[in-house]
Amino acid sequence: MPDNAGHAGRQGVTPLPRWSEEQTVFTDNPRVADAHKAALRSLERAVGHSAEPTPDAEAREAVTRMVRGGKVLILTGAGVSTDSGIPDYRGPQGSLRRTRPMTVQEFRADPAARKRYWARAFIGHRLMNQARPNLGHRVLAEWQRRGLLSGIVTQNVDGLHEQAGAADVIALHGDMSEVECLDCGATEPRELYEVRLEAANPGYRETVTVRDAHVNPDGDVTLSDADVACFTTVACAVCGSERMKPSVVYFGENVPKERRERVEELKADSDALLVVGSSLAVMSGYRFVLDAIKRGQPTATITAGPGRADDKVDVLWRTLATPALLEVEARLLRSQE
């Protein structure tokens, strides 16, 4: 997939910042530096308009027919959680317009980067915990309860599908429930780690100024360098290492093998694929569409903006996630009357 320069002429594409041109200063290992820059290029990927959307009435009917037929695999992205107050990544108001997520290479090699993450996440985690499932999450959970879905896979780390009542959700990129030590492998519940952070930083929440009231999709907020400098990190309770990481998949990191295998089983057991609220800009999401096409499964996307697979799916419904899901649910209920 070309970078932003390759999309400059596509209608409606607002280029993202060019982070891969930044000088790599956190490592002198060429392989680590190259992997970091490759992750940044993935972040920079601007997805342009590559196909005309399906007319609304036709898309609504096609998605309703797909769901009514059952065994639909749902893949959700950040767009399904925007109505819960969590911004998406690549939309016009997306978090990538303001700041970029950290790569796994930075997190592993740069103590200053880890401190910056934990200071920002210490504030953002509480804000993310205040987010509540929206009606879109609840509709998907209800479809699962009625046996219409083969499964739900999400690219989000917010846990809102489970809060809405969905079961056995595969969080492709992990969630915020645990923290892991990169040296000894010990894990700790995130809430217990937060207690230790609180003890090490009494009064910190009351003294910092949050530059952006929105929590980012990966669970942090934007803080000043001065506020970050005042923060104290907490070491692993088992080995004392300072290299503590949330159990989520960072940019530049692979989805764990066991999780990939569970996803492959779901794909094989599905009759159709419905993508909700994802541009599919990263390969881990885009592959869902490619694999469904190989299996001859019908494919549809519901997204407010352009997506990487727009020219490949059978139904391209260009609209907001929650209203679309509610419209489909209303049609399903009417058909039962």
Side-chain angles (χ1 to χ4, degrees), residues 72-284:
V72 178
L73 175 58
I74 300 290
L75 172 66
T76 67
V80 82
S81 293
T82 54
D83 284 337
S84 296
I86 302 174
D88 61 13
Y89 278 110
R90 288 177 168 81
Q93 307 302 319
S95 64
L96 292 184
R97 308 287 172 188
R98 303 183 300 273
T99 184
R100 72 164 174 84
M102 197 175 300
T103 69
V104 71
Q105 290 78 25
E106 285 176 290
F107 201 101
R108 288 178 177 276
D110 188 358
R114 287 195 297 274
K115 180 173 181 176
R116 184 168 68 252
Y117 170 79
W118 282 116
R120 292 163 51 156
F122 182 62
I123 304 299
H125 186 62
R126 177 170 290 185
L127 294 176
M128 182 168 277
N129 279 348
Q130 294 172 358
R132 294 293 178 264
N134 60 57
L135 290 174
H137 293 112
R138 298 192 186 283
V139 166
L140 293 175
E142 173 62 15
W143 290 352
Q144 184 187 53
R145 187 191 67 79
R146 297 208 300 258
L148 298 174
L149 308 181
S150 58
I152 299 174
V153 180
T154 185
Q155 296 171 291
N156 302 337
V157 299
D158 52 38
L160 293 179
H161 284 297
E162 292 89 343
Q163 290 183 39
D168 299 322
V169 177
I170 298 179
L172 193 63
H173 299 149
D175 58 35
M176 294 292 184
S177 63
E178 286 192 334
V179 176
E180 61 188 39
C181 175
L182 294 176
D183 289 317
C184 76
T187 60
E188 180 176 358
R190 178 68 177 260
E191 296 306 323
L192 292 182
Y193 191 71
E194 289 286 327
V195 170
R196 296 206 288 132
L197 286 174
E198 191 85 52
N201 296 276
Y204 183 79
R205 297 184 196 276
E206 292 71 33
T207 63
V208 302
T209 300
V210 179
R211 290 183 176 181
D212 191 325
H214 292 290
V215 61
N216 293 322
D218 46 0
D220 64 6
V221 295
T222 302
L223 299 179
S224 69
D225 291 343
D227 284 336
V228 171
C230 295
F231 186 77
T232 300
T233 57
V234 174
C236 173
V238 176
C239 73
S241 169
E242 296 290 338
R243 300 206 312 156
M244 299 297 290
K245 173 183 172 292
S247 296
V248 298
V249 176
Y250 274 55
F251 283 93
E253 187 173 13
N254 294 324
V255 174
K257 179 181 178 182
E258 180 273 337
R259 203 173 300 158
R260 293 198 309 268
E261 291 174 347
R262 289 179 61 204
V263 167
E264 291 306 312
E265 291 174 1
L266 265 185
K267 290 178 181 178
D269 192 41
S270 302
D271 288 343
L273 171 69
L274 175 59
V275 179
V276 184
S278 174
S279 68
L280 303 174
V282 296
M283 192 63 196
S284 60

